[in-house]
Amino acid sequence: MSAIVTPIAAETRQRPGTKARIGLGLTIFMGLASLPWGLTPTPQGEVGPPLAILVLGTVLGLASIITAVWAWRTGNRLAIRLTAASVIVNTVAGLPGIFADIPAALRVATAVFTLLAVVAVGLLVRRWLASVPRPLQSHALRAMLTTAVALAVFAALVSNLLVARAFAQTAYPAVEAALARACAHDAR
């Protein structure tokens, strides 16, 4: 008598639900939209995000596409978590763009993508949050929000440091030259 062996892991793994698939679709869309930014740095003399933030956005966009496709096809929880994490970090890295002195179109695009990211992550972690026991759900939400705020503060600090460094490298020589001209003019 021979036994029929079936792959249990493949049968017990759940495919993402409709709402999770919508979140994964938004994630893939945002990942595709962030791919070209790392290849097009801000032109000299124009105000825009530092190259490091653009490259980080491109790498995280690619990571979110790969993990979202993996999650879509397999329903793997780790893939869903990695997708949510890459979207969160990418969004947090771009948050200073809402408040920076950049063209209005870039501010609006950053704000729209931030809102899309919040919706996408909310749809992705919905099932996980529902699996947390009811008394702990507020603690889980509080922990997620605290982590998001901490990441936002960290990204703002890093972004401000990068912007300050870029400003010092480009503006400082111009200011120094202007001061030298002013001092030379006063000496005459």
Side-chain angles (χ1 to χ4, degrees), residues 59-73:
V59 169
L60 289 171
L62 183 62
S64 66
I65 291 169
I66 292 169
T67 56
V69 170
W70 176 27
W72 186 293
R73 296 186 72 196

PDB file of all heavy atoms in Angstrom, residues 59-73:
ATOM      1  N   VAL A  59      16.197  52.075  -4.174  1.00  0.00           N
ATOM      2  CA  VAL A  59      16.505  50.742  -3.636  1.00  0.00           C
ATOM      3  C   VAL A  59      15.311  50.195  -2.859  1.00  0.00           C
ATOM      4  O   VAL A  59      14.919  49.032  -3.038  1.00  0.00           O
ATOM      5  CB  VAL A  59      17.770  50.798  -2.752  1.00  0.00           C
ATOM      6  CG1 VAL A  59      17.966  49.508  -1.982  1.00  0.00           C
ATOM      7  CG2 VAL A  59      18.988  51.105  -3.598  1.00  0.00           C
ATOM      8  N   LEU A  60      14.697  51.026  -2.023  1.00  0.00           N
ATOM      9  CA  LEU A  60      13.532  50.572  -1.260  1.00  0.00           C
ATOM     10  C   LEU A  60      12.324  50.333  -2.164  1.00  0.00           C
ATOM     11  O   LEU A  60      11.514  49.445  -1.905  1.00  0.00           O
ATOM     12  CB  LEU A  60      13.194  51.571  -0.160  1.00  0.00           C
ATOM     13  CG  LEU A  60      14.192  51.615   0.988  1.00  0.00           C
ATOM     14  CD1 LEU A  60      13.890  52.775   1.920  1.00  0.00           C
ATOM     15  CD2 LEU A  60      14.195  50.306   1.750  1.00  0.00           C
ATOM     16  N   GLY A  61      12.192  51.121  -3.228  1.00  0.00           N
ATOM     17  CA  GLY A  61      11.125  50.881  -4.193  1.00  0.00           C
ATOM     18  C   GLY A  61      11.273  49.528  -4.866  1.00  0.00           C
ATOM     19  O   GLY A  61      10.317  48.781  -5.028  1.00  0.00           O
ATOM     20  N   LEU A  62      12.506  49.203  -5.257  1.00  0.00           N
ATOM     21  CA  LEU A  62      12.776  47.894  -5.863  1.00  0.00           C
ATOM     22  C   LEU A  62      12.515  46.771  -4.858  1.00  0.00           C
ATOM     23  O   LEU A  62      11.906  45.752  -5.203  1.00  0.00           O
ATOM     24  CB  LEU A  62      14.219  47.841  -6.368  1.00  0.00           C
ATOM     25  CG  LEU A  62      14.634  46.571  -7.094  1.00  0.00           C
ATOM     26  CD1 LEU A  62      13.797  46.372  -8.353  1.00  0.00           C
ATOM     27  CD2 LEU A  62      16.114  46.635  -7.451  1.00  0.00           C
ATOM     28  N   ALA A  63      12.936  46.977  -3.607  1.00  0.00           N
ATOM     29  CA  ALA A  63      12.696  45.963  -2.572  1.00  0.00           C
ATOM     30  C   ALA A  63      11.206  45.774  -2.333  1.00  0.00           C
ATOM     31  O   ALA A  63      10.730  44.636  -2.171  1.00  0.00           O
ATOM     32  CB  ALA A  63      13.393  46.364  -1.272  1.00  0.00           C
ATOM     33  N   SER A  64      10.451  46.871  -2.334  1.00  0.00           N
ATOM     34  CA  SER A  64       9.009  46.737  -2.107  1.00  0.00           C
ATOM     35  C   SER A  64       8.321  46.036  -3.274  1.00  0.00           C
ATOM     36  O   SER A  64       7.371  45.276  -3.070  1.00  0.00           O
ATOM     37  CB  SER A  64       8.377  48.101  -1.838  1.00  0.00           C
ATOM     38  OG  SER A  64       8.441  48.921  -2.967  1.00  0.00           O
ATOM     39  N   ILE A  65       8.794  46.259  -4.491  1.00  0.00           N
ATOM     40  CA  ILE A  65       8.209  45.547  -5.644  1.00  0.00           C
ATOM     41  C   ILE A  65       8.469  44.049  -5.524  1.00  0.00           C
ATOM     42  O   ILE A  65       7.560  43.227  -5.681  1.00  0.00           O
ATOM     43  CB  ILE A  65       8.787  46.081  -6.971  1.00  0.00           C
ATOM     44  CG1 ILE A  65       8.304  47.503  -7.220  1.00  0.00           C
ATOM     45  CG2 ILE A  65       8.405  45.185  -8.137  1.00  0.00           C
ATOM     46  CD1 ILE A  65       9.023  48.190  -8.360  1.00  0.00           C
ATOM     47  N   ILE A  66       9.714  43.684  -5.226  1.00  0.00           N
ATOM     48  CA  ILE A  66      10.083  42.264  -5.137  1.00  0.00           C
ATOM     49  C   ILE A  66       9.307  41.579  -4.023  1.00  0.00           C
ATOM     50  O   ILE A  66       8.731  40.500  -4.221  1.00  0.00           O
ATOM     51  CB  ILE A  66      11.602  42.125  -4.944  1.00  0.00           C
ATOM     52  CG1 ILE A  66      12.335  42.569  -6.209  1.00  0.00           C
ATOM     53  CG2 ILE A  66      11.984  40.698  -4.564  1.00  0.00           C
ATOM     54  CD1 ILE A  66      13.824  42.733  -6.041  1.00  0.00           C
ATOM     55  N   THR A  67       9.259  42.202  -2.840  1.00  0.00           N
ATOM     56  CA  THR A  67       8.561  41.562  -1.721  1.00  0.00           C
ATOM     57  C   THR A  67       7.048  41.557  -1.925  1.00  0.00           C
ATOM     58  O   THR A  67       6.374  40.621  -1.503  1.00  0.00           O
ATOM     59  CB  THR A  67       8.922  42.240  -0.393  1.00  0.00           C
ATOM     60  OG1 THR A  67       8.637  43.641  -0.484  1.00  0.00           O
ATOM     61  CG2 THR A  67      10.383  42.028  -0.042  1.00  0.00           C
ATOM     62  N   ALA A  68       6.512  42.579  -2.593  1.00  0.00           N
ATOM     63  CA  ALA A  68       5.067  42.605  -2.845  1.00  0.00           C
ATOM     64  C   ALA A  68       4.660  41.505  -3.825  1.00  0.00           C
ATOM     65  O   ALA A  68       3.639  40.841  -3.642  1.00  0.00           O
ATOM     66  CB  ALA A  68       4.638  43.972  -3.370  1.00  0.00           C
ATOM     67  N   VAL A  69       5.467  41.303  -4.860  1.00  0.00           N
ATOM     68  CA  VAL A  69       5.170  40.217  -5.808  1.00  0.00           C
ATOM     69  C   VAL A  69       5.282  38.867  -5.105  1.00  0.00           C
ATOM     70  O   VAL A  69       4.446  37.969  -5.294  1.00  0.00           O
ATOM     71  CB  VAL A  69       6.100  40.299  -7.040  1.00  0.00           C
ATOM     72  CG1 VAL A  69       5.991  39.058  -7.905  1.00  0.00           C
ATOM     73  CG2 VAL A  69       5.782  41.544  -7.858  1.00  0.00           C
ATOM     74  N   TRP A  70       6.300  38.716  -4.271  1.00  0.00           N
ATOM     75  CA  TRP A  70       6.473  37.485  -3.497  1.00  0.00           C
ATOM     76  C   TRP A  70       5.257  37.263  -2.591  1.00  0.00           C
ATOM     77  O   TRP A  70       4.713  36.154  -2.525  1.00  0.00           O
ATOM     78  CB  TRP A  70       7.760  37.595  -2.686  1.00  0.00           C
ATOM     79  CG  TRP A  70       8.075  36.463  -1.751  1.00  0.00           C
ATOM     80  CD1 TRP A  70       7.683  35.166  -1.853  1.00  0.00           C
ATOM     81  CD2 TRP A  70       8.865  36.537  -0.570  1.00  0.00           C
ATOM     82  NE1 TRP A  70       8.185  34.430  -0.819  1.00  0.00           N
ATOM     83  CE2 TRP A  70       8.923  35.253  -0.015  1.00  0.00           C
ATOM     84  CE3 TRP A  70       9.546  37.568   0.058  1.00  0.00           C
ATOM     85  CZ2 TRP A  70       9.620  34.978   1.165  1.00  0.00           C
ATOM     86  CZ3 TRP A  70      10.244  37.284   1.211  1.00  0.00           C
ATOM     87  CH2 TRP A  70      10.278  36.010   1.750  1.00  0.00           C
ATOM     88  N   ALA A  71       4.807  38.310  -1.913  1.00  0.00           N
ATOM     89  CA  ALA A  71       3.643  38.184  -1.030  1.00  0.00           C
ATOM     90  C   ALA A  71       2.378  37.899  -1.823  1.00  0.00           C
ATOM     91  O   ALA A  71       1.530  37.105  -1.402  1.00  0.00           O
ATOM     92  CB  ALA A  71       3.474  39.467  -0.217  1.00  0.00           C
ATOM     93  N   TRP A  72       2.232  38.526  -2.972  1.00  0.00           N
ATOM     94  CA  TRP A  72       1.037  38.335  -3.811  1.00  0.00           C
ATOM     95  C   TRP A  72       0.932  36.878  -4.264  1.00  0.00           C
ATOM     96  O   TRP A  72      -0.139  36.287  -4.246  1.00  0.00           O
ATOM     97  CB  TRP A  72       1.119  39.255  -5.015  1.00  0.00           C
ATOM     98  CG  TRP A  72      -0.112  39.272  -5.881  1.00  0.00           C
ATOM     99  CD1 TRP A  72      -0.599  38.265  -6.648  1.00  0.00           C
ATOM    100  CD2 TRP A  72      -1.005  40.368  -6.059  1.00  0.00           C
ATOM    101  NE1 TRP A  72      -1.720  38.659  -7.306  1.00  0.00           N
ATOM    102  CE2 TRP A  72      -2.000  39.945  -6.964  1.00  0.00           C
ATOM    103  CE3 TRP A  72      -1.047  41.657  -5.579  1.00  0.00           C
ATOM    104  CZ2 TRP A  72      -3.033  40.772  -7.370  1.00  0.00           C
ATOM    105  CZ3 TRP A  72      -2.075  42.476  -5.992  1.00  0.00           C
ATOM    106  CH2 TRP A  72      -3.056  42.032  -6.872  1.00  0.00           C
ATOM    107  N   ARG A  73       2.071  36.320  -4.683  1.00  0.00           N
ATOM    108  CA  ARG A  73       2.054  34.957  -5.238  1.00  0.00           C
ATOM    109  C   ARG A  73       1.957  33.886  -4.172  1.00  0.00           C
ATOM    110  O   ARG A  73       1.352  32.846  -4.402  1.00  0.00           O
ATOM    111  CB  ARG A  73       3.294  34.744  -6.090  1.00  0.00           C
ATOM    112  CG  ARG A  73       3.292  35.680  -7.306  1.00  0.00           C
ATOM    113  CD  ARG A  73       4.401  35.408  -8.224  1.00  0.00           C
ATOM    114  NE  ARG A  73       4.114  34.134  -8.899  1.00  0.00           N
ATOM    115  CZ  ARG A  73       4.999  33.427  -9.545  1.00  0.00           C
ATOM    116  NH1 ARG A  73       6.240  33.838  -9.618  1.00  0.00           N
ATOM    117  NH2 ARG A  73       4.664  32.307 -10.142  1.00  0.00           N
TER     118      ARG A  73
END
